[in-house]
Structures are given as structure tokens and as C-alpha cells.
Amino acid sequence: MPRPFALLLIPALALWLVSCSSVDPPIDDDEQNDGSTLRSRADSVDFYIGAAVGAAHLTNDAQYAPILSREFNMLTAENAMKFASIRPARTAFDFSAADDIVDFAEAHEMAVRGHTLVWHQQVPSWITNASWSREDLLAVLEQHIESVAGRYRGRVVAWDVVNEAVADDGSLRESIWLDVIGPEYISQAFRWAHEADPEASLFYNDYSAEGLGAKSDAVYELVEGLLEDGVPIHGVGLQMHVSTEFAPSAADVATNIERLGELGLEVHITEMDVRIPLPASDAELAQQADVYQTMLEVCLEAWNCTAFVLWGFTDRHSWIPGAFDGYGSGLIFDENYEEKFAYDALTRALAGEN
Ligand code: XIL
């Protein structure tokens, strides 16, 4: 039999428990998880939904950060981790913007995709304007990968180690890396990245290799060869910069993702946007929504497609108008942060609705 004072303690304890559970922890407005955001839906199916981030917008645009952290559970650096951003001069490293992005991700419990360690663009002029011996350029590349992947060791779930090394005809793309080092720059980059951050998944990333064709065949053969050589590569990033005028078919993308899966590789959709010739009509915006929904469905259906990342999220900050003359409106929020049809379409895909 419990003693009388113990009997008195029981209701007291029950009251205390009730009062504890009725006090909710403070939740930021922007991080409410009421099941209606892209992020909460992605979380519930254990899937990454992400966006590329411009570091300056985090501080210069008050509407940007709250929507980013509310809607996405993954982010990537649009420019901040590229060679020219981090290493403006041979003697100078500048990690400030990349640090801001990684810190933001951690503060908001978002995963980070690192982008990108080796690319033919945004290479600093102290590299492109000099003449290099093979040995010296290898040493520069090794130091770069060690420094960058090493700095964020354990904080980046996946790195785009090599970006766009394949040309549109399927040959290896001309670049300072290929010209001076030869094709081994690719395998070496993966090996150094793995040494610097052994836990990170290492990706080869490219555009126009989403469906089937000469380029995606070449990417397939490249990564197959790397695997045969024992190179630490874990996935392929399909950028998915498409338009309402041209996008690969769902069936081709599914087949491509499947064959990469048969090699044991993961796939991430890494840079999706769907550009529209301006001005965008409602019919085009609806068509854009369809393309987004279809590609997300294809990814969700494939066991090895684990992340779906957009190249930004608002038309206010998108590379499209600057890169494709006469085009724009490629993202899922408009310039005033209003949700477009494409936003609802992604929501439906994540919820398994048509
Ligand atoms: C783009 C950025 O969005 C621009 O701001 C920058 O001026 C050029 O690069 N493929 C890639 C990305 O892998 O890094 C590119 O990002 C878009 C194409």
C-alpha cells in the first residue's frame, strides 16, 4: 500500500506534467511545422527539398531568409563556395560568404550541398592567366580541395566535387584542368575530397544529362569508369535547368536515374529551374508547374533519387534573366514572394497527390 504522502504526490505530479506539456517551446513563425510547407511534407517522407542561396540576400532582403528556412530542409551555395569566391588571390582565402551560408543552414537545421570544388567557370584569374606545369596545377587543386572540403568537414552532406566536365557532344570539356592536368584531374579531385571529408557523399554534377542522349551516356560512362577504378564517387547531380519549351521526358529521366542506381549511385536533382519566354502567360505558368511536378514525382519514385534542389526559390533573385536573354520566371515564388502554380505542384507531388 502506498503511504498517504505518496498518494498526495501523485495528483501533484500529474498536474505538473499537464502544465509542462501545455507550454509549447517557442517556435519562430518562419519555422512552424504545420504540415503545409514543402519542408514539412519533405520531412515526413524523409526527403531533401532544397534551394540555392545567395549569401547577400540572407541579410539584404528581409523576406528571403524566413521563406528559405520555412520551405526547405537543404540548401546549397549559389556562388559562395566556388573557386573564385573562396580564393580571389593565391595568398587569400575568403570563406565569409560560404561560412554565412553554412551557419544559416545549421541554425535552421538544414542540410548543406557543397557546390562546387572543380569547375571550368568562376576560376580566379590568378589561375587562368598564368602558365602552369602539370605538377604545380595539381598542387593548387589539391590544396584548394583540402582547404574547402576540409573546412566544412562533417557539415556538408554532399559535395559537387566536379562540375560540368563533359561537353555537349560527350567528349571531355576543354578547361584549364583538362588542358594542363589531363583527365586525371577528375579522379584526383574525388580522392582528395574523400580524404578531406570522408563522411560526405561525393557527386559528379552536370546539365543536359538528365534524360537520355549522347551527353547523359557520356556522363554514365565517366562515372562507371570512375567506379571501376575504385574512385570514391557516390552520386550524380542532374542540374535540370529546363524550360517550358524543352524539358526531357519523364520516362527518359526515370530510365537514366535507374541506370545510375544500378551502378549503386545516388542521384540528386541539383539546380532545377524552368525558364519561360517573357512575359509569362498563365498557360505557361501552368505548364511550368507540370514540369516541376513531373520531375519531382520521377525523383520521388526512384529509390536512389534523394534530393530535389532548385536554383533559388524566388524570381526576385534568379540567374535566368541574366543568363538567358528574354527568359525569366523560372522559380516557384514570384518576385513578390507570392507562391506560383509551381509551388502548389511541388506540394502535391510531395503529398503523393496528382
Ligand atoms: C550560376 C549562378 O547562378 C550565377 O549567379 C553565376 O553568375 C554563374 O553561375 N550551373 C552551375 C551553377 O553549376 O554553378 C551556375 O550558377 C548555373 C549553371
Side-chain angles (χ1 to χ4, degrees), residues 78-79 82 115 119 121-122 163-164 205 239 241 271 311 319:
E78 183 172 0
N79 289 300
K82 291 172 181 172
H115 176 84
W119 192 26
Q121 285 184 31
Q122 292 175 273
N163 196 33
E164 303 179 354
N205 189 50
Q239 292 186 5
H241 294 291
E271 306 186 13
W311 206 239
W319 76 308

Side-chain angles (χ1 to χ4, degrees), residues 35 45 78 133 157 172 180 193 222 266 285:
V45 291
E78 183 172 0
S133 71
V157 298
L172 283 185
V180 177
L222 171 70
E266 251 180 272
L285 291 166

Side-chain angles (χ1 to χ4, degrees), residues 1-2 51 68 110 135 156 189 216 252 277 286 323 334 338:
M1 279 287 284
L68 176 66
M110 303 164 87
E135 201 186 332
V156 166
S216 76
D252 282 4
D334 73 12
E338 295 295 328

Side-chain angles (χ1 to χ4, degrees), residues 2 13 56 110 117 124 132 136 141 175 177 197 265 267 271 282 293 298 309-310 315 323 345:
L13 187 65
M110 303 164 87
L117 297 171
W132 296 93
D136 285 349
L141 187 58
S175 71
W177 312 115
D197 189 352
L265 292 172
V267 168
E271 306 186 13
D282 272 1
Q293 183 167 351
V298 166
V309 180
L310 316 181
D315 292 334

Side-chain angles (χ1 to χ4, degrees), residues 5 78 93 165 204-205 225 275 281 284 320:
F5 81 86
E78 183 172 0
F93 283 89
Y204 174 78
N205 189 50
R275 62 186 176 273
S281 67
E284 285 165 317
I320 293 294

Side-chain angles (χ1 to χ4, degrees), residues 54-82:
H57 312 319
L58 292 174
T59 42
N60 297 346
D61 177 349
Q63 285 167 281
Y64 185 88
I67 298 180
L68 176 66
S69 59
R70 186 187 74 205
E71 297 294 339
F72 301 96
N73 57 16
M74 171 177 260
L75 56 68
T76 190
E78 183 172 0
N79 289 300
M81 290 182 171
K82 291 172 181 172

